[in-house]
């Protein structure tokens, strides 16, 4: 996910590859900032609510950071718009995905740091906390609807959404449905709601974005999925 004037969940290669050096620098800075926050106890509050030790929290952050550079191909969609001519110059940044790029198709991939790891962590939280399945499904459904309503496809950038909508909605939904377990529920519905409502349900829109590659989970670690989950926990 790329932060624009809001948060772009489904990031396209057109903008992502153009700003790779800047994203790396920003990622290092944000990781260092988060590390300091953990040491002074800011993010520790959120991770404590989720039942994580400081060591486990750092493992989650590092795993997400490393996974943010990995996109796993899933399938292709027919493109409804010709890609920007400059995409060919960015093939070298796409790694192994470059061999699968077809200018008449849109390759749909999933980002490890921004998609797979957050989903795996949600499964872990479901095993760690006694949350009724009906409550979890209801929260995810509500969050998905909110994210779908407020997200918009932006040609050349991805799918954008106002940055505070998802975490605020997740926190309100979690507190309303399960005040005793609001923190883990906020992370679960916040994370999965963004992936479903602003990523998966918007896959049909990526055909018109002018990019041969779209990644579910976007730029990875410090994207809207990660931020939504953590901020929602702090607010819940």
């Amino acid at each position: 996910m790329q932060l624009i004037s809001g948060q772009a969940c489904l990031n396209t290669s057109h903008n992502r590859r153009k700003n790779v050096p800047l994203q790396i620098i920003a990622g290092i800075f944000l990781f260092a900032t988060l590390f300091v926050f953990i040491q002074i106890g800011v993010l520790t509050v959120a991770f404590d609510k989720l039942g994580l030790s400081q060591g486990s929290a750092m493992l989650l952050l590092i795993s997400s950071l490393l996974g943010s550079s990995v996109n796993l191909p899933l399938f292709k969609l027919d493109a409804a718009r010709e890609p920007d001519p400059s995409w060919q110059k960015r093939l070298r940044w796409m790694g192994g995905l470059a061999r699968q790029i077809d200018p008449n198709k849109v390759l749909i991939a999933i980002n490890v740091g921004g998609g797979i790891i957050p989903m795996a962590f949600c499964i872990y939280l479901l095993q760690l906390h006694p949350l009724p399945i009906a409550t979890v499904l209801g929260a995810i459904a509500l969050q998905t609807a909110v994210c779908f309503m407020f997200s918009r496809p932006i040609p050349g950038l991805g799918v954008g959404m106002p940055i505070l909508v998802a975490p605020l909605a997740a926190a309100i939904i979690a507190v309303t449905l399960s005040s005793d377990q609001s923190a883990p529920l906020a992370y679960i519905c916040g994370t999965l709601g963004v992936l479903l409502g602003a990523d998966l349900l918007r896959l049909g829109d990526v055909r018109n974005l002018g990019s041969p590659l779209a990644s579910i989970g976007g730029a990875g670690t410090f994207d809207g999925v990660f931020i939504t989950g953590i901020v929602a926990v702090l607010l819940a």
Side-chain angles (χ1 to χ4, degrees), residues 118-185:
M119 288 190 290
F121 186 53
C122 287
I123 295 174
Y124 170 78
L125 290 177
L126 286 174
Q127 296 176 340
L128 186 65
H129 299 278
L131 289 165
I133 295 300
T135 300
V136 174
L137 293 178
I140 294 174
L142 290 172
Q143 180 73 2
T144 298
V146 170
C147 292
F148 182 77
M149 289 173 57
F150 283 89
S151 62
R152 294 290 183 273
I154 304 175
L157 290 177
V159 178
M161 181 170 58
I163 195 168
L164 291 179
V165 168
L168 285 174
I172 293 172
I173 291 170
V175 171
T176 302
L177 297 184
S178 180
S179 58
D180 293 337
Q181 297 287 338
S182 59
L185 183 60

